[in-house]
Amino acid sequence: MLYIEPVPISKRVSISDIVIEVTRRCNMNCCHCMRGEPQNIDMDLNYVRALFKQIDMISNITLSGGEPSLVPHILTSIIDIAKEEEVEIDSFYIATNAKVVTDEFMKALIKWWLFCRDNGSVAISSDDYHENIDEDNIRKLEAFRFVEKRNEDCHYNHGQGLIYEGRAAEYFAASHIMELKEIDYE
Ligand code: SF4
Protein backbone atom coordinates (compact mmCIF):
# COMPACT_ATOMS: atom_id res chain seq x y z
CA MET A 1 0.00 0.00 0.00
CA LEU A 2 1.42 3.35 -1.07
CA TYR A 3 1.51 5.96 1.69
CA ILE A 4 2.51 9.58 1.34
CA GLU A 5 2.39 11.98 4.27
CA PRO A 6 -0.57 14.35 3.76
CA VAL A 7 0.45 17.93 2.98
CA PRO A 8 -1.52 20.74 4.67
CA ILE A 9 -3.86 22.40 2.17
CA SER A 10 -1.94 25.70 2.53
CA LYS A 11 1.27 24.02 1.31
CA ARG A 12 -0.19 22.16 -1.60
CA VAL A 13 0.65 23.03 -5.20
CA SER A 14 -1.52 24.17 -8.07
CA ILE A 15 -1.11 22.38 -11.37
CA SER A 16 -1.99 23.84 -14.74
CA ASP A 17 -2.12 20.61 -16.79
CA ILE A 18 -1.93 17.00 -15.75
CA VAL A 19 -2.44 13.75 -17.65
CA ILE A 20 -3.53 10.58 -15.90
CA GLU A 21 -3.40 7.40 -17.94
CA VAL A 22 -6.44 5.66 -16.50
CA THR A 23 -5.77 2.33 -18.19
CA ARG A 24 -3.23 0.64 -20.44
CA ARG A 25 -6.00 -1.52 -21.94
CA CYS A 26 -7.49 -0.79 -25.35
CA ASN A 27 -10.08 -2.44 -27.58
CA MET A 28 -8.50 -1.20 -30.83
CA ASN A 29 -5.16 -1.91 -32.42
CA CYS A 30 -4.31 1.27 -34.34
CA CYS A 31 -1.04 1.26 -36.26
CA HIS A 32 -0.31 4.90 -35.34
CA CYS A 33 -0.70 4.29 -31.58
CA MET A 34 2.13 5.88 -29.59
CA ARG A 35 1.23 3.67 -26.60
CA GLY A 36 2.48 0.47 -28.20
CA GLU A 37 1.00 -2.88 -27.26
CA PRO A 38 -1.83 -2.67 -24.71
CA GLN A 39 -1.31 -4.09 -21.23
CA ASN A 40 -3.88 -5.46 -18.82
CA ILE A 41 -3.18 -2.69 -16.31
CA ASP A 42 -5.55 -0.08 -14.88
CA MET A 43 -4.57 2.98 -12.84
CA ASP A 44 -4.10 2.13 -9.18
CA LEU A 45 -6.28 4.66 -7.37
CA ASN A 46 -3.87 4.72 -4.44
CA TYR A 47 -1.50 6.68 -6.70
CA VAL A 48 -4.25 9.13 -7.58
CA ARG A 49 -5.00 9.68 -3.90
CA ALA A 50 -1.31 10.12 -3.06
CA LEU A 51 -1.00 12.61 -5.91
CA PHE A 52 -4.10 14.57 -4.94
CA LYS A 53 -2.88 14.90 -1.36
CA GLN A 54 -0.15 17.19 -2.74
CA ILE A 55 -2.45 19.34 -4.89
CA ASP A 56 -5.11 21.92 -4.17
CA MET A 57 -6.06 22.95 -7.68
CA ILE A 58 -5.78 21.63 -11.25
CA SER A 59 -6.57 23.85 -14.23
CA ASN A 60 -7.01 21.01 -16.69
CA ILE A 61 -6.93 17.26 -16.26
CA THR A 62 -6.63 14.88 -19.22
CA LEU A 63 -7.84 11.35 -18.60
CA SER A 64 -6.06 9.29 -21.22
CA GLY A 65 -5.43 5.67 -22.03
CA GLY A 66 -5.45 3.15 -23.47
CA GLU A 67 -9.16 3.53 -23.84
CA PRO A 68 -10.90 5.43 -21.01
CA SER A 69 -14.36 4.05 -21.86
CA LEU A 70 -13.18 0.64 -20.59
CA VAL A 71 -12.80 1.97 -17.04
CA PRO A 72 -15.80 4.19 -16.20
CA HIS A 73 -15.49 3.16 -12.54
CA ILE A 74 -11.99 4.65 -12.45
CA LEU A 75 -13.17 7.86 -14.12
CA THR A 76 -15.83 8.33 -11.44
CA SER A 77 -13.54 7.25 -8.60
CA ILE A 78 -11.07 10.00 -9.54
CA ILE A 79 -13.87 12.54 -8.96
CA ASP A 80 -14.65 10.94 -5.59
CA ILE A 81 -10.99 11.17 -4.57
CA ALA A 82 -10.77 14.79 -5.75
CA LYS A 83 -13.76 15.63 -3.55
CA GLU A 84 -12.38 13.76 -0.55
CA GLU A 85 -8.96 15.39 -0.90
CA GLU A 86 -10.47 18.82 -1.62
CA VAL A 87 -8.88 19.22 -5.03
CA GLU A 88 -10.60 21.74 -7.29
CA ILE A 89 -10.48 20.94 -10.99
CA ASP A 90 -11.39 23.60 -13.55
CA SER A 91 -11.76 21.47 -16.66
CA PHE A 92 -11.29 17.98 -18.05
CA TYR A 93 -10.46 16.38 -21.39
CA ILE A 94 -11.10 12.79 -22.45
CA ALA A 95 -10.49 11.23 -25.87
CA THR A 96 -12.35 8.02 -26.65
CA ASN A 97 -12.36 5.72 -29.65
CA ALA A 98 -16.11 5.20 -29.00
CA LYS A 99 -15.96 1.52 -29.90
CA VAL A 100 -17.92 0.73 -26.74
CA VAL A 101 -20.26 3.29 -25.20
CA THR A 102 -21.86 1.92 -22.06
CA ASP A 103 -24.34 3.67 -19.78
CA GLU A 104 -21.63 3.67 -17.10
CA PHE A 105 -19.27 5.54 -19.40
CA MET A 106 -21.99 8.07 -20.31
CA LYS A 107 -22.72 8.61 -16.61
CA ALA A 108 -19.02 9.09 -15.89
CA LEU A 109 -18.82 11.79 -18.57
CA ILE A 110 -21.84 13.59 -17.10
CA LYS A 111 -20.25 13.43 -13.66
CA TRP A 112 -17.06 15.01 -14.97
CA TRP A 113 -19.05 17.73 -16.69
CA LEU A 114 -20.94 18.51 -13.51
CA PHE A 115 -17.85 18.34 -11.31
CA CYS A 116 -15.53 20.69 -13.19
CA ARG A 117 -16.06 24.38 -12.56
CA ASP A 118 -15.40 25.40 -16.18
CA ASN A 119 -16.57 22.01 -17.48
CA GLY A 120 -14.55 20.34 -20.25
CA SER A 121 -14.63 18.36 -23.46
CA VAL A 122 -14.67 14.84 -24.86
CA ALA A 123 -13.23 13.99 -28.28
CA ILE A 124 -14.17 11.00 -30.38
CA SER A 125 -11.02 9.88 -32.19
CA SER A 126 -11.71 9.42 -35.85
CA ASP A 127 -9.11 9.19 -38.61
CA ASP A 128 -7.69 6.82 -41.19
CA TYR A 129 -6.01 4.65 -38.57
CA HIS A 130 -8.81 4.06 -36.09
CA GLU A 131 -11.41 1.38 -36.79
CA ASN A 132 -14.71 2.58 -38.18
CA ILE A 133 -17.02 3.46 -35.33
CA ASP A 134 -20.63 2.38 -34.95
CA GLU A 135 -22.75 5.42 -35.88
CA ASP A 136 -25.10 4.68 -32.96
CA ASN A 137 -22.21 5.18 -30.56
CA ILE A 138 -21.35 8.50 -32.13
CA ARG A 139 -24.99 9.63 -31.97
CA LYS A 140 -25.20 8.63 -28.30
CA LEU A 141 -22.10 10.61 -27.38
CA GLU A 142 -22.85 13.61 -29.55
CA ALA A 143 -26.09 14.08 -27.63
CA PHE A 144 -23.78 15.81 -25.15
CA ARG A 145 -22.80 19.25 -26.35
CA PHE A 146 -19.32 18.82 -24.90
CA VAL A 147 -18.54 15.83 -27.18
CA GLU A 148 -16.98 16.30 -30.63
CA LYS A 149 -15.64 14.01 -33.31
CA ARG A 150 -12.03 14.99 -33.99
CA ASN A 151 -9.43 14.36 -36.68
CA GLU A 152 -12.05 13.64 -39.29
CA ASP A 153 -9.90 15.23 -42.00
CA CYS A 154 -6.63 14.15 -40.50
CA HIS A 155 -4.82 11.57 -42.60
CA TYR A 156 -1.42 12.14 -41.00
CA ASN A 157 0.29 12.53 -44.36
CA HIS A 158 2.10 9.19 -44.37
CA GLY A 159 2.98 9.38 -40.73
CA GLN A 160 4.18 12.98 -40.52
CA GLY A 161 2.83 14.75 -37.44
CA LEU A 162 2.74 11.57 -35.37
CA ILE A 163 4.66 11.01 -32.16
CA TYR A 164 7.08 8.24 -33.08
CA GLU A 165 6.65 6.03 -30.08
CA GLY A 166 4.95 2.68 -29.62
CA ARG A 167 3.45 1.29 -32.82
CA ALA A 168 3.90 4.62 -34.62
CA ALA A 169 7.68 4.19 -34.29
CA GLU A 170 7.47 0.69 -35.70
CA TYR A 171 5.20 1.53 -38.65
CA PHE A 172 6.00 5.11 -39.62
CA ALA A 173 9.30 6.42 -38.31
CA ALA A 174 11.53 4.73 -40.89
CA SER A 175 9.39 5.77 -43.85
CA HIS A 176 9.09 9.33 -42.48
CA ILE A 177 12.86 9.68 -42.19
CA MET A 178 13.25 8.40 -45.76
CA GLU A 179 10.74 10.98 -46.97
CA LEU A 180 12.66 13.79 -45.25
CA LYS A 181 15.91 12.63 -46.86
CA GLU A 182 14.26 12.75 -50.25
CA ILE A 183 13.33 16.46 -49.90
CA ASP A 184 15.46 18.72 -52.08
CA TYR A 185 16.51 21.54 -49.76
CA GLU A 186 18.27 23.69 -52.41
S1 SF4 B 1 -4.62 5.11 -30.73
FE1 SF4 B 1 -6.12 5.06 -29.05
S2 SF4 B 1 -7.73 3.67 -29.80
FE2 SF4 B 1 -5.93 3.31 -31.07
S3 SF4 B 1 -4.85 1.58 -30.10
FE3 SF4 B 1 -3.96 3.50 -29.29
S4 SF4 B 1 -5.08 3.93 -27.42
FE4 SF4 B 1 -6.29 2.45 -28.60
Side-chain angles (χ1 to χ4, degrees):
M1 170 87 178
L2 183 75
Y3 179 76
I4 291 186
E5 191 74 33
V7 175
I9 288 186
S10 60
K11 293 191 180 163
R12 292 182 181 189
V13 296
S14 296
I15 303 257
S16 71
D17 284 283
I18 193 164
V19 179
I20 295 181
E21 192 176 59
V22 289
T23 182
R24 294 281 306 163
R25 291 187 278 145
C26 190
N27 49 9
M28 286 193 183
N29 194 29
C30 310
C31 60
H32 71 317
C33 183
M34 60 175 278
R35 303 292 189 213
E37 292 307 305
Q39 295 168 291
N40 192 21
I41 300 172
D42 296 335
M43 171 52 73
D44 180 340
L45 292 169
N46 287 317
Y47 287 104
V48 176
R49 187 176 295 282
L51 176 70
F52 281 6
K53 282 184 186 299
Q54 318 293 314
I55 296 172
D56 66 356
M57 190 258 178
I58 298 171
S59 295
N60 185 69
I61 187 167
T62 297
L63 302 161
S64 82
E67 174 47 43
S69 65
L70 298 179
V71 287
H73 59 293
I74 290 182
L75 298 178
T76 51
S77 294
I78 292 173
I79 296 174
D80 295 339
I81 295 170
K83 287 179 180 169
E84 287 159 18
E85 301 299 338
E86 300 179 61
V87 179
E88 287 183 14
I89 303 179
D90 284 344
S91 66
F92 74 101
Y93 175 75
I94 296 173
T96 175
N97 63 29
K99 184 170 182 175
V100 173
V101 178
T102 60
D103 288 350
E104 289 72 25
F105 181 51
M106 304 266 284
K107 283 179 196 162
L109 298 183
I110 294 169
K111 282 184 179 169
W112 270 100
W113 175 259
L114 293 174
F115 175 63
C116 290
R117 199 165 45 184
D118 300 332
N119 302 320
S121 61
V122 175
I124 302 173
S125 302
S126 170
D127 53 52
D128 280 358
Y129 302 116
H130 284 83
E131 289 174 29
N132 289 332
I133 305 163
D134 185 335
E135 285 297 322
D136 282 346
N137 288 352
I138 294 171
R139 268 193 294 276
K140 264 198 240 175
L141 286 171
E142 285 187 332
F144 298 140
R145 66 186 161 92
F146 54 90
V147 177
E148 288 189 342
K149 214 166 156 191
R150 76 158 191 207
N151 292 343
E152 209 154 2
D153 300 322
C154 179
H155 306 297
Y156 289 117
N157 194 17
H158 304 293
Q160 292 185 47
L162 296 178
I163 297 172
Y164 295 119
E165 291 180 17
R167 272 192 224 108
E170 195 180 325
Y171 284 96
F172 295 105
S175 61
H176 175 60
I177 289 164
M178 279 172 65
E179 280 173 19
L180 288 178
K181 279 185 181 165
E182 285 162 11
I183 294 172
D184 183 358
Y185 292 101
E186 294 187 8

